């Protein structure tokens, strides 16, 4: 395994970051997780655009690698061959004597690494995850993909300690998102996901799913999902770049939709994968149904 740090490809043990790095001291940085399938990135431009917005949101000047981000990230993938993988890319404000206010002239630290992706199984019995609900205790700019993830970390840990995988967060009686995912609720043939704004991350997978479903003629709404609507949903799904589209089997220990299965999710996964293959220029095989 080789990681990328500030211009060099190195074994992780040789990649050294100053203890004065503001990413370490303050969580003063942003990140992206970009999936790749068959060696090609999926929705790379969208991830890089969001990276630019996150950097602008916390006023870190965007580092411009000479060869450009796409080539740099491709070179990292090439140095870490394997199956489907995601690239984690983090940029912090850099190292400087500790002071909350921005330092003058710090050079941003750029770090990237590759991790395997386990593809979502089309069988809901294998793909499904348990979730719990928790109050959303995060800050007011969750649209910025900040590395300061302590509230998300604590929520995920609480989920894991109760035997679940994801925590679905509630604020003022409505769903915001998962600790590391966006949330969709299904009622009949209607699919809803909370609207964009400062309360949620504008998930790249979320947007791609919304666009794909609408393109296929589905009733897919970006509208508030109340706690009551979540609890009464026929199906609940979560989306992220590393998990695609995953059904939630139990919510706070209760079977979602009375345990009637995930027929809408199975169709949606087919729509999602066909749209993904089209957008990546992969010939349709009909395998993802
Ligand atoms: N997280 N909301 C939160 C809080 C997230 O952390 C993530 C993804 C998402 C989904 O966004 P996207 O579809 O762009 O991956 C929503 C990544 C995968 C992570 O932190 O590892």
């Amino acid at each position: 395994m080789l990681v990328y740090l500030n211009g060099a490809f190195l074994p992780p043990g040789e990649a050294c970051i100053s203890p004065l790095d503001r990413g370490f001291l303050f969580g003063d940085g942003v990140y992206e997780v970009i999936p790749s399938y068959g060696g090609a990135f999926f929705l790379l431009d969208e991830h890089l655009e969001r990276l630019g917005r996150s950097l602008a949101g916390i006023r870190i000047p965007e580092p411009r690698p000479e060869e450009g981000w796409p080539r740099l990230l491709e070179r990292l993938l090439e140095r870490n061959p394997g199956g489907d993988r995601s690239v984690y890319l983090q940029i912090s404000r850099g190292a400087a004597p500790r002071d909350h206010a921005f330092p003058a002239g710090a050079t941003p630290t750029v770090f990237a690494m590759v991790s395997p992706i386990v593809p979502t199984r089309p069988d809901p019995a294998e793909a499904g995850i348990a979730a719990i609900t928790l109050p959303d205790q995060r800050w007011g700019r969750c649209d910025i993909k900040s590395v300061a993830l302590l509230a998300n970390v604590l929520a995920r840990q609480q989920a894991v300690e109760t035997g679940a995988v994801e925590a679905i967060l509630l604020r003022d009686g409505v769903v915001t998102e998962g600790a590391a995912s966006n949330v969709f609720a299904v009622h009949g043939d209607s699919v809803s996901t909370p609207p964009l704004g400062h309360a949620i991350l504008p998930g790249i997978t979320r947007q791609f799913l919304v666009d794909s479903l609408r393109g296929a003629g589905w009733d897919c709404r970006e509208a508030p999902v109340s706690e009551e609507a979540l609890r009464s949903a026929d199906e609940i799904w979560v989306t992220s770049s590393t998990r695609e589209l995953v059904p939630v089997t139990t919510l706070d220990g209760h079977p979602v939709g009375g345990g009637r299965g995930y027929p809408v999710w199975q169709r949606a996964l087919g729509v999602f994968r066909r749209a993904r293959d089209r957008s990546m220029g992969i010939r349709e095989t009909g395998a993802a149904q």
Side-chain angles (χ1 to χ4, degrees):
M1 176 187 184
L2 289 181
V3 301
Y4 173 87
L5 180 65
N6 296 332
F9 294 96
L10 303 160
E14 290 173 25
C16 298
I17 295 174
S18 165
L20 297 185
D21 194 280
R22 292 174 63 94
F24 177 58
L25 292 178
F26 293 113
D28 184 358
V30 297
Y31 75 108
E32 277 297 326
V33 178
I34 309 162
S36 73
Y37 300 98
F41 286 112
F42 177 46
L43 302 175
L44 178 59
D45 290 350
E46 287 80 351
H47 282 278
L48 293 175
E49 271 166 37
R50 185 173 65 186
L51 176 68
R53 290 200 303 277
S54 293
L55 287 166
I58 66 168
R59 294 196 278 153
I60 292 180
E62 181 164 345
R64 302 271 175 202
E66 213 169 287
E67 61 203 316
W69 288 118
R71 185 63 201 129
L72 173 60
L73 299 178
E74 270 164 27
R75 282 172 62 207
L76 181 63
L77 267 192
E78 285 161 15
R79 282 168 172 71
N80 293 276
D84 297 337
R85 285 152 294 155
S86 66
V87 167
Y88 175 90
L89 170 61
Q90 165 170 337
I91 299 170
S92 75
R93 202 178 303 277
R98 185 177 181 278
D99 180 1
H100 289 63
F102 297 171
T107 305
T109 302
V110 180
F111 170 71
M113 64 181 169
V114 174
S115 310
I117 294 182
V118 181
T120 303
R121 305 288 194 85
D123 178 353
E126 295 173 62
I129 60 165
I132 60 170
T133 54
L134 286 177
D136 191 340
Q137 293 179 324
R138 300 172 304 158
W139 71 324
R141 287 302 307 274
C142 296
D143 55 315
I144 294 173
K145 201 162 170 58
S146 161
V147 296
L149 287 172
L150 187 53
N152 307 59
V153 166
L154 293 175
R156 269 297 291 284
Q157 181 60 22
Q158 203 168 326
V160 168
E161 285 173 6
T162 58
V165 171
E166 181 59 307
I168 295 180
L169 306 176
L170 298 164
R171 192 193 291 265
D172 302 328
V174 296
V175 176
T176 52
E177 59 184 334
S181 59
N182 291 109
V183 176
F184 288 72
V186 180
H187 294 86
D189 282 336
S190 175
V191 180
S192 303
T193 191
L196 298 181
H198 288 174
I200 69 167
L201 186 76
I204 304 298
T205 322
R206 170 197 176 284
Q207 195 62 51
F208 189 78
L209 179 62
V210 166
D211 294 344
S212 312
L213 292 179
R214 286 181 179 161
W218 289 45
D219 171 15
C220 181
R221 302 172 192 187
E222 294 175 88
V225 176
S226 68
E227 178 173 355
E228 198 277 319
L230 182 75
R231 297 199 187 282
S232 67
D234 298 324
E235 298 183 21
I236 300 171
W237 316 328
V238 296
T239 60
S240 78
S241 295
T242 46
R243 289 191 290 201
E244 300 181 296
L245 169 59
V246 167
V248 173
T249 50
T250 62
L251 187 68
D252 295 327
H254 303 291
V256 173
R260 282 189 295 272
Y262 309 90
V264 188
W265 170 76
Q266 278 181 310
R267 282 193 286 129
L269 184 65
V271 171
F272 178 87
R273 290 213 169 140
R274 283 191 292 275
R276 181 187 74 190
D277 289 354
R278 271 198 305 279
S279 93
M280 296 183 71
I282 298 170
R283 204 166 49 82
E284 282 187 34
T285 59
Q289 288 303 323

